[in-house]
Amino acid sequence: MKKLTLLMAFLHAFAFTMLSQEVQVKGRVTSAEGGSALPGASVVVKGTNTATVTDPEGNYSIRVPAGATTLVVSFIGMKTQEVEIAGQTTINIAMQPEVIGMEEVVVTALGIKRSEKALGYSAVTVKGDEISQTRTSNIMNSLQGKVAGVAISASSGAPGASTKVVIRGFSSITGNNQPLYIVDGIPVNNTTNTLYAGNNDVSRTQDFGNRANDINPDDIESVTILKGAAAALYGSRAANGVVMITTKQGAKSDRFKVEYNGSASFSEPLRLPQMQNWFGQGWSGTFKYEENGSWGPKFDGKLRLWGNVVDNSQQLKPFVPLKNNLRDFFDVGKGYNNTISISGGKDNALFYLSFGNVREDGIVPTDADSYIRNSILLKGSYQGKKLTANASINYINKDQKFVTQGQGTGDAGATLYQDIMQIPRDISIVDLKDYKNKFNNIDNYFTPYADNPWFIINENGNKWNEDRVVSSINLDYNITSWLNATYRVGADVANSQLQDWGAIAKTTPGSINNLRGRNDIVGRVNERTSVDYQFNNDFILNGNFNISSFKINALIGYNANEQYYRELYSYVTDLDIPGFYNLSNSSKPAKSSTFERKKRLYGIYSQGEVSYKDYVFLTLSARNDWSSTLPKNNNSFFYPGASLSILFSEIFSDIKPILPYGKLRLSHTVTGNDPQPYRIKSVYSPASVYAYFGTMTFPIAGVNGFEIDNTIGNLKLQPEISTEDEVGVELKFLDNRIGIDAAYYLRKTTDQIMTVPLARSSGYGFQVMNVGSIQNQGTELLLTLVPVRAENFEWQIGVNHTINRSKVLELSEQLKEGVYINSAYDIDFLAKEGKPIGVFEGPDYSRDPQGRIIVNEQGIPIAATKKVEYGTSEPKYRMGIKNEFFLLKGITIGGNVEIRQGGLMYTYTADINYFVGNATQTTFNDRQPFLVPNSVKAVTDVNGNVTYVENTTPIDMEHICDYYNNNTNRPLARATVVDKSFVKLRDLYVYFELPKKWITKLSLSRVNVGVVGRNLLLWTPKENNFVDPESTTWGGDLESEFGEFAVAPSVRTVSISLKITY
Amino acid sequence: MKTYAKYILIFIAGIIFTSCSENWLDVNTDPNKPSDVTPELVLPAAEISLVSQITVRYNIAGGMWAQFWTQNPTSNQYKQFDAYDINATTLDAEWMELYSGTLKELQQIKKVSKENQEWRMYLIAAALQAYTFQYLADLYDKIPYTEALKADEGIIAPKYDDASVVYDSIIQDLDFALSKDLSKFTSPVNGDFIFNGNAQMWVKFANTLKLRIYLRQWKVRSAVAQAGIQKLFNENAAFLTEDAKIDVFQDEKGKGNPLYESDRRELNTKQNIRASQTFISFLTSANDTDERIGYYFEKGTSGQYLGNPQGDFNKNITADEANKISLARILATDPAYLFSAAESYFLQAEAKLRLNYSIAEVKDLYDQGVLAAFARFGLNGSRYIQTGGKYEFNNAEPLKSIITQKWAALAGINGMEAYIEHLRTGIPKRSSVPVTDGSYIPGEFTHPIQSVLPVGQYPRRLIFPDSERKSNKNTPAEVKVTVPTWWQ
């Protein structure tokens, strides 16, 4: 509350802004090399918000308030110049090319600003403008494909869906691999709210986003990604790199700066499964009007009765494929993203206030997929003689609805994406829209094996609401000219509520689907409320000394952090009143449970930097943490680090004309990762007993039951330690028109904290233990080119290329067969010794000694008893290519392409399309009988000797559906694991900065309009004509690399944007 | 310098303030789960865990192999069972639940009740544990026993013991439990769903189980079996005359009969389990329909009790045609059985037969068994055992009578036990002709039409589970599913 009062006081202070006498200054801005005019250069009166840009001839004119002494002139690719006004009214300025990177200031760990040249490690900064211009509602999606070494992918195209960010590969098998997010120096919560209804993680999955996505991109000043070493000062949570977000702050000015940033966007499905258009409804080769598959006869165009006979009538339609059936189901998604901000500053105080609103309604008809976010950010700063105080408060409210993915359940009903794929190629989905109609209702829907998708989206649903406040106070005190103290406290509190319901869907006794045994859906309501907070304190003393040619900077700090989560979850099933979703609506008692988690940590850290003559920089750091999650008597862990930056272009000044900027960086750092809470002691848990598809839950008959928790405690648990070495080089040539930044890193993570599956015969299922080590090594290359730099035209190219190779170096003895990361049906995703961190295993053909495929009596291949490795999820390389053109009169055209080559993924979408005969692959050989090539049958004689004879049983039309069913033909499971390579046109944009003269009359300083397309095109290998290879239903960590299970389709989006600055 | 010192002091004070006490980090006790629970609260979980395996998938797989049931032609769920398509993942989940659920919990109960000398509780846990171990040993031949359930002692890769070792050990444990004074008991046993803590019932359960264990090894270690059975008879051991079952289920998610919960409530189609023509032919043979048919099956839509030939699930029929085949009758409130009274009588009958007691004594026990099997449904079965009755005791083939009736009595409640007994005794016989053949003898097993194994071959064991192979280096080399176990 105090903060707020203080900020209100600031605001009032600005209301009394004084006006004063002004002088007109004009002139021309040119390039010092060749003297060409520089249009669009910015001219700012220093210390004010008075600014202008040069016209196409490079001319400018600006009103300079009395008392102002300096103009600041800047232009892309040129060194920013400060020019004394000294009473002149005409000032021409010749700009020098900038040595890019040379003077750039980077915000590093703990908010310490350092010159880029001094960094001995990789840090990449992206400016707020670049993030904001893609008009995505979340920050990280706008960085996709742009930063070497950072893999960013959206889980799906659903509004508000989560984003996965992985820096330099996965280094923890079961721990956290997401980076730490820091906003204005405060660590913030990045929980991914992926919810699963079942314990097998494929039933009814919902993705309410990850919390780093809450931050309004329009509030961003810059984002810096610290990839490895630099993060160590943040302690154990930074083992996977840090994303440092700096939000905007007001600038000193005579008047308020008002900025509006808005866009409207339109989206449609980018990737839907491609389906065959040759065969229609039926099973085993014959037309059957109750089937949910396209295993029927070939389309003949003839009129055919279809569906059930209801009231003695049946529907009639031609037997033809509906090529765009699935696509036609979806709508155009619409999104509006608006931010208005007001900022300013006077004397010693600055402020920034913004309001952002995002409204998105996705591609699924109805608003069952929608996302509304309102955010308010208020920041204030006061600079006293010795004390500087900063405070900020960011309030975010989200309302989200998510169309449930994954597999349906018996109580809450079917799921859209699973059931929409089980519609034969000749039945119109759009025509099923009237789901209460007598042919389309539950009793008479054409198949008892799947549900009408329109019923699902209209009758089932959910509402997620979250309130979140992220606030911080930062006090800086200059004790002496060389010593300063900082105290920083931050709180991030999120409260969320989820209501989720599945409608009652019961057949009338005696109705067609009732007789066919369609299972009744009894209805279910889930209520979940949670609070999730994090408090963080830092106290830092920072000193600067100069000793002859050496500059020394040293800091010592103390950190205390608490993270807490509590949820209350209740549900009822067997609803009584249809359409009424409240816990009271059942004769069965509600099931409730609470879950609570608390983790505390404190640490002491220190960092020292020594620089010699501004060209050799050495940084040493160390941190010791004490964590509540480690065994009490052994809860301390220490990790040191060192980095070195050598500006060799400065040392060997002879090479400077050819190589104006050359830097070598070296670093070695250690970071730790502590376990999750409550892994030390063995416990009991409320009994919940496996009964195949069922689960027996206590109390039963009024008797409560507890079972021994399947996970045995571990009193010897230690932190996971990552050690990273990095060497990098940065070069700039030819007036900085060529830039190269290359890095090689090697990271080893030892003492992996893993939930290791135990042999059940030991009495337990799992133990959390320190086993094994993983290595990630890779190269990152960033190439920047300016092929053309002419008057009124510039072409910039940026290419980034990343290779990361992970390897599981060692696992404990009992894990020789690998550690399960994820699995679905017959496909396992494992970490195995000597292999990359995620490998797929699945059934293989059983073969005779000659290598021929052994088939069963039906001629269908038999699976070998042992599964085989299919390959890894790890891509061979990733690449991003950016092209940007700056044209005359403030027009910018650009685009980004992202390429990922290699790696596999599991796709249930493929699985279900094979199963129902909608997959294009199932039309092999025109579905005419065929023999499995090179196949044999086993013959056992009376003595039990097995011989193999040539197989003569063809797979006929009747059995083709069994051949493409991986339940009956297990080796077919291989087809559900596909190559996830892709090329994506990430974005394509045109921006037009309106000429100054058009807008000055409206007292506007800047107007920018643009059109941006996101994810416009996607190319994938032929075998994956099913899903967007970036999709996942498993959140944002390693298990998500496994693939997807009936995921929401990805989307392409076109946005129109407008930015106005007053 | 003075200010400098002052701020160092503030820094230190800050540390002290934030970490205020040594206990600040002491927040690692799980608030969500208890660290200690008495046996009375663990036993209910162990009992439900056991029946949820025995009566669900073991019962379905065994029920298909024992040819009570067959896979519905228009759905998929149990095709692999019906086709004899067995691999290392078949019934792996049941192994997992039995070891790290049932057996571990019973082990913990044994440990605590032994420490507290609460011998009645010990007997319950020992009896249920022996029951479970025998089951696993019968299906896998070699299982972890002596080193099993000891992860808390550091053994995470237990060695496998021969089934004979398991047999001898569980007999020993049962004898140990039975030797204790069960009257000395301080607290009532709550949460025993089976016998409500009645010690005498548990003694009978243990004795009947011993009988089952001895009879199973008759062929391979008849001396051991004979001595053991003789001892039981000499001591006038009491055997079960009532069902050992859990009969507390309600029609509510998670609280109904486990088989119903899985196959009917949670699966997306309720029609996977259809009547096998093998069993229907048996029940309807000799122009005298066994009244139990209405409790085992629902009528098909044509109003008849119809079976499908075993394993004939790939035939191309519509759902409406499939609906003419009878469905297995499974209700939410059905009890879940570990032993039926009928089985106890049939075990005694066989024991007396083996030990050459008078045929009249054998017949008497047989008759009681049949009557008990009918009485389970409230039916009077006396008509069937009369002279000339459908199930009249056959003096010439007494074992055939006993095992056949045991088979028919186990339908729906413990299919795997019926199949194990078929493997041991060859009863019912395996037919050389299909069920549609004129010379087919009702009730004889036919080769499943979609079998992946050639004619004449059928599962004789389960394959060591995949989960075990992945995490226990002591798992023995794979043995083919058609290789007989030791007692066969």
Side-chain angles (χ1 to χ4, degrees), chain A residues 918-964:
Chain A
N918 283 343
T920 54
Q921 289 82 346
T922 63
T923 60
F924 168 76
N925 197 34
D926 208 21
R927 291 196 183 163
Q928 291 307 302
F930 64 93
L931 281 168
V932 172
N934 196 24
S935 59
V936 289
K937 268 186 193 171
V939 179
T940 313
D941 66 14
V942 282
N943 300 322
N945 300 317
V946 180
T947 51
Y948 298 93
V949 295
E950 201 185 320
N951 168 37
T952 52
T953 311
I955 293 165
D956 54 18
M957 191 104 170
E958 194 179 315
H959 289 94
I960 281 174
C961 45
D962 294 327
Y963 179 80
Y964 287 107

Side-chain angles (χ1 to χ4, degrees), chain A residues 49 256-260 340-343 1004-1005 1060-1062:
Chain A
N49 197 29
F256 295 134
K257 176 179 172 185
V258 180
E259 190 167 288
Y260 165 77
I340 186 149
S341 67
I342 173 164
S343 64
L1004 300 176
S1005 61
I1060 302 171
T1061 310
Y1062 165 78

Side-chain angles (χ1 to χ4, degrees), chain B residues 173-237:
Chain B
D173 194 29
L174 286 171
D175 286 342
F176 172 77
L178 290 166
S179 70
K180 294 296 171 184
D181 182 357
L182 302 169
S183 61
K184 265 203 264 170
F185 192 72
T186 46
S187 64
V189 174
N190 289 319
D192 170 14
F193 289 127
I194 300 168
F195 293 130
N196 206 19
N198 183 330
Q200 285 323 301
M201 292 306 294
W202 280 105
V203 170
K204 289 182 184 176
F205 183 98
N207 287 334
T208 314
L209 181 60
K210 281 169 74 179
L211 205 52
R212 186 197 262 184
I213 295 166
Y214 287 130
L215 282 173
R216 197 88 92 218
Q217 48 190 327
W218 187 269
K219 195 166 156 188
V220 283
R221 294 202 302 182
S222 55
V224 174
Q226 187 162 358
I229 296 167
Q230 195 63 63
K231 192 161 170 272
L232 281 167
F233 286 150
N234 293 347
E235 289 167 354
N236 271 325

Side-chain angles (χ1 to χ4, degrees), chain A residues 470-532:
Chain A
V470 182
S471 60
S472 68
I473 296 173
N474 191 95
L475 300 172
D476 247 316
Y477 190 83
N478 291 323
I479 300 164
T480 67
S481 61
W482 55 272
L483 182 70
N484 114 325
T486 302
Y487 178 65
R488 191 178 289 152
V489 58
D492 178 357
V493 184
N495 273 294
S496 55
Q497 287 96 39
L498 172 70
Q499 190 191 23
D500 174 39
W501 61 91
I504 305 170
K506 293 185 179 172
T507 48
T508 313
S511 64
I512 294 168
N513 283 334
N514 178 269
L515 292 176
R516 287 193 181 131
R518 181 198 181 280
N519 240 10
D520 283 345
I521 307 295
V522 293
R524 175 165 170 146
V525 177
N526 298 318
E527 290 277 355
R528 190 190 297 261
T529 67
S530 68
V531 56
D532 198 341

